[in-house]
């Protein structure tokens, strides 16, 4: 069981907006530690998508955005495209465990 | 080009050993903490081990403590993971990753598959 909780799956039609939640606790997200998001396309390594809660690395489209509030964070994807179909993982730091922790991952299906 | 490339994976019997390596290029390897993250088939990401830039700080996940040893050679831009007493549950793709200035895993290797089976 992951320290950070994500829905196993979400789906949306092309052009729609979807959000993926990441729920933590007072020892990780709620303690103020940054949340990062990764996109893993089928058969490939994870790729940094959002860092520091709401920042995009160079080359990541502005259709992807992140937010954080309290003990939770969210990834929003607007104008959904077929190429967005992938697994998405949130990640933070947990002060009780003293390690970086991942969410269980969410599979995005573009209908 | 900033790049990480893992090697050393393969099929090993339970109780056996493997040594993974990760070759870094395109950045000042000696300035960054490095990590091993694994992904079992069909599962999520799991942090395995980390090492600071000068090897002063080393940490392991409880699941591998006492069996795995992380090390680095800054002169050769190499990261290693010595895996002993391997178990079936260690079967996974092993990624090396860099924690960059953003404090996120900003560079990942393509991964190397480790299969523990008789």
């Amino acid at each position: 069981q992951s320290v950070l909780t994500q829905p196993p799956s979400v789906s949306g039609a092309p052009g729609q907006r979807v959000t993926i939640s990441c729920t933590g606790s007072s020892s990780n997200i709620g303690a103020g530690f940054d949340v990062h998001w990764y996109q893993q396309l089928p058969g490939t390594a994870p790729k940094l998508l959002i860092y520091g809660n709401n920042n995009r690395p160079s080359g990541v489209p502005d259709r992807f955005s992140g937010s954080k509030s309290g003990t939770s964070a969210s990834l929003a994807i607007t104008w959904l495209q077929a190429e967005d179909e992938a697994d998405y993982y949130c990640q933070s730091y947990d002060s009780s465990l003293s390690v970086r922790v991942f969410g269980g991952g969410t599979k995005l299906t573009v209908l | 080009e900033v790049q990480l490339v893992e090697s050393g994976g393969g099929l090993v019997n339970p109780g056996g050993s493997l040594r993974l390596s990760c070759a870094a290029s395109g950045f000042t390897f000696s300035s960054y903490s490095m990590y091993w993250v694994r992904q079992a088939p069909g599962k999520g990401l799991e942090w395995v081990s980390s090492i600071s830039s000068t090897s002063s700080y080393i940490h392991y996940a409880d699941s591998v403590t006492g069996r795995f040893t992380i090390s680095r050679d800054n002169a050769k831009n190499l990261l290693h993971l010595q895996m002993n007493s391997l178990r079936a549950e260690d079967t996974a793709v092993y990624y090396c990753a860099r924690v960059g200035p953003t404090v996120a895993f900003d560079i990942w290797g393509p991964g190397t598959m480790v299969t523990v089976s008789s």
Side-chain angles (χ1 to χ4, degrees):
Chain A
Q1 195 147 354
S2 302
V3 173
L4 304 178
T5 301
Q6 298 180 234
S9 64
V10 297
S11 63
Q16 286 188 331
R17 176 182 186 270
V18 297
T19 61
I20 299 173
S21 61
C22 175
T23 303
S25 67
S26 58
S27 62
N28 42 69
I29 298 175
F33 294 106
D34 283 344
V35 177
H36 316 294
W37 291 90
Y38 304 88
Q39 178 192 57
Q40 187 175 33
L41 297 171
T44 69
K47 166 194 163 185
L48 180 61
L49 193 65
I50 297 286
Y51 67 90
N53 307 315
N54 55 12
N55 300 286
R56 289 184 308 277
S58 175
V60 173
D62 59 6
R63 300 187 296 106
F64 296 90
S65 63
S67 64
K68 173 187 156 183
S69 178
T71 59
S72 296
S74 290
L75 172 70
I77 310 172
T78 57
W79 297 107
L80 206 56
Q81 299 179 6
E83 65 206 48
D84 299 333
E85 192 159 285
D87 293 324
Y88 293 84
Y89 294 88
C90 60
Q91 179 256 311
S92 187
Y93 181 84
D94 191 282
S95 58
S96 295
L97 301 173
S98 298
V99 300
R100 284 176 163 81
V101 291
F102 290 95
T106 299
K107 182 176 181 59
L108 168 63
T109 300
V110 180
L111 302 171
Chain B
E1 180 190 6
V2 175
Q3 191 172 245
L4 297 170
V5 179
E6 304 90 342
S7 61
L11 175 63
V12 61
N13 291 325
S17 298
L18 274 179
R19 189 189 195 213
L20 305 184
S21 295
C22 171
S25 59
F27 65 98
T28 307
F29 179 71
S30 60
S31 296
Y32 293 90
S33 293
M34 297 296 297
Y35 287 69
W36 287 100
V37 176
R38 69 184 179 184
Q39 185 172 35
K43 302 297 184 181
L45 301 170
E46 178 190 17
W47 165 79
V48 173
S49 182
S50 60
I51 186 168
S52 62
S53 58
T54 59
S55 304
S56 298
Y57 299 97
I58 288 175
H59 298 92
Y60 300 98
D62 289 345
S63 56
V64 306
T65 295
R67 301 187 299 122
F68 289 12
T69 302
I70 191 172
S71 63
R72 65 189 296 163
D73 184 338
N74 285 343
K76 296 182 178 179
N77 293 344
L78 288 171
L79 175 71
H80 302 290
L81 185 68
Q82 177 67 43
M83 304 187 297
N84 298 330
S85 303
L86 283 162
R87 307 166 180 168
E89 54 264 37
D90 295 319
T91 294
V93 175
Y94 284 73
Y95 298 102
C96 65
R98 182 186 88 167
V99 168
T102 62
V103 199
F105 295 109
D106 62 349
I107 305 297
W108 296 71
T112 187
M113 183 70 202
V114 172
T115 303
V116 183
S117 175
S118 55

